[in-house]
């Protein structure tokens, strides 16, 4: 009782509205509205308008192309400078070891990782729109670059000289191999930059939406496995070839296991020690994040310790531990990339360009949402394109945003792109002044840094349980992206994953949810009759809804679901009618034959008088009507029963198609809709369309959907308009039924 009173009190407090208006179909509604007159522009006018330049428009384009002109003059020095300096130093300290380490992934000498950590980062300050992301080397992109470099310049090229005892010959040949791989990496940077730049200028920033989050996370998880396996040989200090392409992970693991007996114990101890130190440092930074003013730069500490230990103990000569080696001082002179390599690496450059942009934009959006500003996806494409293409002239390989460095840059107080500039200046100082100090650095230390930085990516295996609970389709996308990228390689894996993601979109449109709607009593609200007990259907009216558009791929399934859900199949009803009519005709014909035989028998056995009398009776009572005899022995059939027997009928007189979820209709969909209207009309069911949006209505008009039989009067503004119109047409609506 108390609950009922509370419910009534709640209803009394609820706001109400009452609207009295005519029942609108599109014909009536369009007749009462006045369209705005729009003068269509010719192509020449559009081109002239786009080419027209005013000072305001020129200034807007300049600010859009060079965002630094907009934010730098307004830079609040007192508020932002200290945070940017601390953040820049912290990120720069992290940038140095990662640049050296990720160069190994890209299959180029470590110094080129430093170049890639300077030029692109500096250029992004001028062209980028994100205030917090850290541009530079990144494990996934570096791994993709390394795969292409090894494919184009494989280790087998030097197999002829492997047995040479002349160390000078081996050094020269390795140097030649590295030079060729650098050319491949530089060409990839140039080409991927040009692709990104063109996509940005053509406003193709939306391409990143096809790399959905489950796809990206599955792909990067597989890339983490690739990266981890590629670093095992450096951690163990064994000599193996580097593999790329399908099954490269399996080949790499098999190669390492085959050489496991030649493990360099000194390299393994140094590497494991560095891994332990890095994990401890990351755990301390995580637990005491709020108490520490800046994160402990464990990576640079490990690099300094490793370099000192290596130099002091002479690990290279005493224990045969591989070290970084020569790091030339100063910057290299600009050089044009090897254009003749473009055909061989074009497809790979497209994949690297899209993956790099996707990584950068996803991180940029996260920080922009957190700090309340906006980024321009197209300008980010342009910025990355300039960073890669211009940087390639200075011997850089493809770059993108680094997740770990971006988090450090944001958490240490970075407010603007100034932090990135300062980090690039720190890298420049190392290149120009003190780079040679890192020559004794063991490669196993760099492998440890790479492996520990994969920790966040390996945590993405937890996505499997998450997607299992939330979405099986997204789980399938994640699994396909992971397995395909792991087994087929990152390039073919990405292509396979994108193709599968597109197929899931087709599957969803071809397998939508179909519902029959009913009214919540005394309202104009309609819901699924299977979901709520209070929802009731109108007698004789079916309201059908499909949460998809109507086009060639799902038009057949739409029709099938409509017949199944409503329980009315016009084809079946018409077939049943024809069958009943044929059966009835056969029974009448048989009855007539029996009557004729009876008459003939009666005529032959009677006398002439009786025959005359019989003929008189037959003429009066039993002459055939329209060629058919009445059968007195046949059972009497009432008109209603006769009609039901000859023509099967449905209890539904009206069918309403709810087009609220429909975004577009193509020519096949329009033909399907017209066919539905005509087929149901033949069995006495009138079809209406409700809540058809303006663009869909325009599309139907363009497709010549409307004619003398299918008019705009069949289209209604809302479901309730259509219901009221169907009730009035059927004549079954009472005054109370027409209200809300």
């Amino acid at each position: 009782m108390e609950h009922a009173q509370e419910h009534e009190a709640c209803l009394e407090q609820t706001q109400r509205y009452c609207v009295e208006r005519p029942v609108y179909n599109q014909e009536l509604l369009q007749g009462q509205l006045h369209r705005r007159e729009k003068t269509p522009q010719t192509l020449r006018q559009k081109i002239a308008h786009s080419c027209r330049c005013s000072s305001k428009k020129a200034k807007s384009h300049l600010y859009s192309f060079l965002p630094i002109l907009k934010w730098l003059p307004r830079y609040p020095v007192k508020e932002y400078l200290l945070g940017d300096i601390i953040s820049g130093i912290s990120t720069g300290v992290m940038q140095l070891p990662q640049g050296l380490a990720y160069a190994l992934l890209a299959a180029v000498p470590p110094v080129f990782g430093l170049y890639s950590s300077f030029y692109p980062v500096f250029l992004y300050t001028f062209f980028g729109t994100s205030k917090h992301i850290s541009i530079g080397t990144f494990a996934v992109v570096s791994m993709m670059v390394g795969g292409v470099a090894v494919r184009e310049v494989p280790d087998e090229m030097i197999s002829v000289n492997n047995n040479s005892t002349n160390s000078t010959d081996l050094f020269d040949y390795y140097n030649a191999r590295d030079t060729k791989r650098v050319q491949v990496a530089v060409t990839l940077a140039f080409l991927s930059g040009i692709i990104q730049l063109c996509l940005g200028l053509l406003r193709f920033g939306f391409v990143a939406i096809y790399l959905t989050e489950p796809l990206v996370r599955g792909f990067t998880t597989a890339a983490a496995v690739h990266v981890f396996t590629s670093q095992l040989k450096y951690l163990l200090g064994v000599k193996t070839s580097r593999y790329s392409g399908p099954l490269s992970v399996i080949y790499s693991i098999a190669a390492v296991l085959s050489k496991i007996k030649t493990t360099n114990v000194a390299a393994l101890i140094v590497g494991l020690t560095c891994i332990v130190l890095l994990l401890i440092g990351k755990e301390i930074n995580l637990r005491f994040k709020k108490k520490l003013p800046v994160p402990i730069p464990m990576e640079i500490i490990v690099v300094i310790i490793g370099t000192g230990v290596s130099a002091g103990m002479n690990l290279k000569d005493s224990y045969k531990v591989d070290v970084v080696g020569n790091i030339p001082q100063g910057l290299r002179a600009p050089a044009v990339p090897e254009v003749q390599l473009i055909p061989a690496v074009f497809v790979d450059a497209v994949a690297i360009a899209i993956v790099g942009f996707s990584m950068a934009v996803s991180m940029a959006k996260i920080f922009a949402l957190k700090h309340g500003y906006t980024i321009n996806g197209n300008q980010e494409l342009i910025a990355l394109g300039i960073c890669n293409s211009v940087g390639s002239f200075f011997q850089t390989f493809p770059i993108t945003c680094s997740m770990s460095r971006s988090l450090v840059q944001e958490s240490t107080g970075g407010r603007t792109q100034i932090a990135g500039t300062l980090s690039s200046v720190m890298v420049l100082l190392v290149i120009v002044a003190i780079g040679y100090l890192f020559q004794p650095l063991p490669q196993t230390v760099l492998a440890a840094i790479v492996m520990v930085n994969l920790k966040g990516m390996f945590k993405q295996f937890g996505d499997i349980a998450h997607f299992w609970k939330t979405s099986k389709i997204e789980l399938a996308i994640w699994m396909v992206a992971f397995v395909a990228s792991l087994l087929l390689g990152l390039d073919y894996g990405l292509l396979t994953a994108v193709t599968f993601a597109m197929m899931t979109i087709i599957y969803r449109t071809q397998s939508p949810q179909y519902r029959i709607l009913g009214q919540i009593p005394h309202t104009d609200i309609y819901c699924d009759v299977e979901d709520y007990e209070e929802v009731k259907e109108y007698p004789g009216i079916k309201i059908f809804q499909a949460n998809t558009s109507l086009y060639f791929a799902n038009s057949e399934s739409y029709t099938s679901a409509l017949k199944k859900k409503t329980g009315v199949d016009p084809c079946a009803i018409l077939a049943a009618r024809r069958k009943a009519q044929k059966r009835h005709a056969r029974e009448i014909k048989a009855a007539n034959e029996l009557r004729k035989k009876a008459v003939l028998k009666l005529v032959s056995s009677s006398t002439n008088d009786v025959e005359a009398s019989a003929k008189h009776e037959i003429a009066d009572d039993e002459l055939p009507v329209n060629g058919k005899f009445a059968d007195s022995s046949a059972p009497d059939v009432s008109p209603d029963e006769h009609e039901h027997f000859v023509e099967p009928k449905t209890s539904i007189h009206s069918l309403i198609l709810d087009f609220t979820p429909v975004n577009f209709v193509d020519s096949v969909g329009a033909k399907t809709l017209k066919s539905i209207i005509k087929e149901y009309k033949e069995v006495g069911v009138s079809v209406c369309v409700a809540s058809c949006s303006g663009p869909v209505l325009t599309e139907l008009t363009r497709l010549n959907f409307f004619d003398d039989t299918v008019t705009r009067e069949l289209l209604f503004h809302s479901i309730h308009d259509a219901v009221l119109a169907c009730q009035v047409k059927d004549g079954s609506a009472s005054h109370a039924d027409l209200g809300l």
Side-chain angles (χ1 to χ4, degrees):
M1 187 68 180
E2 291 180 1
H3 179 72
Q5 291 176 350
E6 289 177 2
H7 182 66
E8 291 178 2
C10 183
L11 287 176
E12 290 177 0
Q13 294 175 1
T14 304
Q15 290 183 336
R16 294 174 177 272
Y17 78 91
C18 182
V19 178
E20 187 174 344
R21 63 170 176 81
V23 174
Y24 281 121
N25 57 33
Q26 282 296 329
E27 191 75 27
L28 180 60
L29 189 62
Q30 294 297 325
Q32 295 188 3
L33 297 175
H34 302 282
R35 283 192 173 275
R36 296 181 185 274
E37 294 185 5
K38 296 179 182 179
T39 306
Q41 288 184 323
T42 62
L43 180 61
R44 183 178 179 181
Q45 290 174 327
K46 291 180 180 178
I47 295 174
H49 178 73
S50 61
C51 295
R52 192 178 302 151
C53 185
S54 62
S55 59
K56 186 177 180 181
K57 191 174 182 180
K59 186 178 179 181
S60 174
H61 283 301
L62 182 62
Y63 281 176
S64 176
F65 186 70
L66 283 168
I68 191 173
L69 297 177
K70 192 172 184 179
W71 61 262
L72 188 60
R74 305 174 186 174
Y75 184 78
V77 178
K78 292 183 179 180
E79 297 178 26
Y80 286 3
L81 186 60
L82 180 60
D84 281 340
I85 290 174
I86 295 173
S87 176
I89 294 173
S90 302
T91 310
V93 165
M94 198 174 179
Q95 188 103 263
L96 287 170
Q98 287 192 3
L100 294 169
Y102 292 155
L104 294 179
L105 288 178
V108 297
V111 69
F112 293 94
L114 296 180
Y115 298 152
S116 301
S117 299
F118 167 62
Y119 290 107
V121 180
F122 185 74
L123 288 170
Y124 186 81
T125 305
F126 297 90
F127 299 98
T129 59
S130 175
K131 301 175 183 179
H132 295 92
I133 64 173
S134 174
I135 293 296
T137 55
F138 181 55
V140 174
V141 173
S142 299
M143 188 68 197
M144 296 176 75
V145 173
V148 180
V150 171
R151 186 191 69 208
E152 297 299 319
V153 189
D155 288 332
E156 285 74 10
M157 291 181 64
I158 62 167
S159 60
V160 176
N161 295 325
N162 266 346
N163 296 323
S164 174
T165 57
N166 190 337
S167 59
T168 304
D169 291 344
L170 283 175
F171 176 79
D172 291 342
Y173 208 88
Y174 276 107
N175 190 47
R177 180 204 65 178
D178 289 343
T179 301
K180 291 180 179 179
R181 287 183 175 177
V182 168
Q183 291 174 351
V184 174
V186 167
T187 304
L188 274 172
F190 173 75
L191 190 53
S192 62
I194 293 297
I195 291 169
Q196 289 171 333
L197 189 59
C198 292
L199 290 175
L201 293 174
L202 294 173
R203 297 294 185 263
F204 270 73
F206 66 88
V207 295
I209 64 175
Y210 292 103
L211 296 180
T212 178
E213 183 184 3
L215 187 152
V216 172
R217 293 177 73 87
F219 173 78
T220 53
T221 306
V225 177
H226 277 278
V227 172
F228 187 86
T229 55
S230 72
Q231 297 304 294
L232 286 175
K233 69 175 186 177
Y234 298 111
L235 180 68
L236 299 174
V238 297
K239 306 289 185 184
T240 64
S241 297
R242 179 164 175 171
Y243 299 92
S244 64
L247 304 179
S248 58
V249 169
I250 298 174
Y251 293 144
S252 297
I253 294 174
V256 170
L257 292 176
S258 67
K259 297 287 185 69
I260 196 72
K261 292 182 179 180
T262 63
T263 298
N264 188 313
V265 178
L268 179 60
I269 291 173
V270 171
L272 291 177
T273 303
C274 291
I275 289 175
V276 171
L277 290 175
L278 288 168
L279 289 173
I280 292 173
K282 285 185 175 292
E283 190 65 26
I284 292 173
N285 287 334
L286 184 63
R287 291 197 177 188
F288 301 98
K289 181 166 55 173
K290 294 183 179 179
K291 295 182 179 180
L292 292 172
V294 293
I296 299 173
M298 282 306 299
E299 290 178 343
I300 194 66
I301 291 173
V302 164
V303 166
I304 293 171
I305 293 174
T307 304
V309 170
S310 176
M313 298 180 65
N314 195 15
L315 295 180
K316 180 181 179 182
D317 296 328
S318 301
Y319 298 96
K320 306 301 180 184
V321 174
D322 291 331
V323 297
V324 168
N326 182 44
I327 298 180
Q329 279 187 285
L331 300 172
R332 297 169 69 97
V336 179
E338 298 291 333
V339 181
Q340 65 268 21
L341 291 172
I342 288 178
V345 300
F346 179 79
V347 176
D348 304 284
V350 172
I352 289 171
I354 294 176
V355 170
F357 170 63
S358 177
M359 297 289 181
V361 168
S362 60
M363 286 299 294
K365 285 182 177 179
I366 291 171
F367 289 126
L369 185 64
K370 181 178 179 180
H371 294 277
Y373 63 92
T374 58
I375 63 154
N376 186 330
N378 292 313
Q379 182 59 29
E380 285 298 303
L381 262 176
I382 293 172
L384 286 173
I386 292 174
C387 291
N388 277 316
S389 58
V390 174
S392 67
F393 288 90
F394 299 93
Q395 310 297 295
T396 67
F397 55 82
I399 52 85
T400 185
C401 158
S402 166
M403 289 185 279
S404 58
R405 290 197 307 272
S406 298
L407 291 171
V408 169
Q409 182 170 316
E410 187 261 348
S411 63
T412 52
R415 299 291 189 90
T416 64
Q417 293 91 323
I418 294 292
T421 306
L422 292 175
S423 69
S424 68
V425 170
M426 288 192 64
V427 176
L428 176 64
L429 292 175
V430 173
I431 295 172
V432 173
I434 61 173
Y436 68 94
L437 295 176
F438 294 103
Q439 290 181 169
L441 176 65
Q443 290 185 357
T444 186
V445 175
L446 298 180
I449 292 172
V450 172
M451 287 178 166
V452 172
N453 279 320
L454 297 174
K455 180 183 175 183
M457 291 188 190
F458 282 129
K459 285 183 178 179
Q460 293 177 162
F461 278 111
D463 293 344
I464 296 175
H466 170 71
F467 287 128
W468 177 264
K469 295 177 182 177
T470 57
S471 173
K472 299 297 190 298
I473 291 180
E474 290 189 335
L475 174 62
I477 293 173
W478 194 99
M479 291 300 298
V480 168
F482 174 76
V483 174
S485 301
L486 186 66
L487 298 180
L488 302 179
L490 297 179
D491 45 2
Y492 293 113
L494 179 64
L495 179 62
T496 303
V498 171
T499 303
F500 181 78
M502 298 296 290
M503 289 172 62
T504 62
I505 296 174
I506 297 173
Y507 169 76
R508 290 186 182 191
T509 59
Q510 286 190 300
S511 304
Q513 293 182 348
Y514 299 104
R515 306 190 299 173
I516 294 295
L517 305 183
Q519 185 199 33
I520 298 178
H522 310 297
T523 71
D524 60 349
I525 301 172
Y526 292 81
C527 301
D528 191 344
V529 295
E530 296 179 359
D531 288 347
Y532 305 100
E533 295 178 358
E534 293 83 1
V535 173
K536 304 297 180 184
E537 291 187 70
Y538 281 104
I541 300 176
K542 287 285 184 181
I543 306 170
F544 178 77
Q545 183 193 75
N547 63 334
T548 182
S549 297
L550 185 58
Y551 67 113
F552 70 94
N554 65 356
S555 57
E556 187 174 344
S557 61
Y558 184 94
T559 306
S560 300
L562 175 64
K563 294 174 181 178
K564 183 177 179 181
K565 281 287 185 179
T566 59
V568 180
D569 186 347
C571 297
I573 292 175
L574 291 174
R577 284 185 181 180
R578 286 192 291 269
K579 187 176 180 181
Q581 288 172 352
K582 289 179 180 178
R583 185 170 69 250
H584 188 61
R586 287 196 300 269
E587 291 177 356
I588 292 177
K589 185 177 180 181
N592 288 339
E593 292 295 333
L594 290 173
R595 172 59 66 187
K596 286 181 180 179
K597 290 178 181 179
V599 169
L600 291 174
K601 186 176 181 180
L602 182 63
V603 169
S604 61
S605 62
S606 302
T607 60
N608 292 336
D609 293 336
V610 175
E611 181 180 356
S613 175
K615 287 182 179 180
H616 180 72
E617 289 177 8
I618 293 171
D620 287 344
D621 299 328
E622 296 181 292
L623 282 176
V625 180
N626 294 330
K628 297 179 182 179
F629 288 92
D631 187 3
S632 59
S633 63
D636 293 333
V637 180
S638 66
D640 292 340
E641 291 176 346
H642 177 78
E643 184 180 359
H644 178 74
F645 176 72
V646 176
E647 296 187 358
K649 279 194 169 184
T650 174
S651 60
I652 298 171
H653 58 77
S654 299
L655 174 61
I656 300 171
L657 305 179
D658 179 19
F659 262 41
T660 304
V662 176
N663 294 319
F664 69 92
V665 175
D666 68 353
S667 59
V668 177
K671 290 177 182 177
T672 301
L673 183 58
K674 183 176 282 191
S675 174
I676 289 171
I677 293 172
K678 290 182 177 179
E679 284 182 5
Y680 277 87
K681 187 177 181 180
E682 290 181 12
V683 296
V685 178
S686 61
V687 179
C688 303
V689 178
S691 303
C692 185
S693 65
V696 173
L697 181 60
T698 303
E699 199 70 21
L700 289 174
T701 305
R702 189 179 62 82
L703 294 169
N704 298 319
F705 174 76
F706 300 105
D707 53 25
D708 295 337
T709 57
V710 180
T711 65
R712 293 176 184 269
E713 292 180 355
L714 299 179
L715 274 65
F716 291 87
H717 180 68
S718 69
I719 298 177
H720 201 63
D721 285 307
V723 168
L724 297 179
C726 292
Q727 286 181 318
V728 172
K729 187 182 296 184
D730 185 58
S732 61
S734 65
H735 183 73
D737 291 332
L738 297 176
L740 295 182

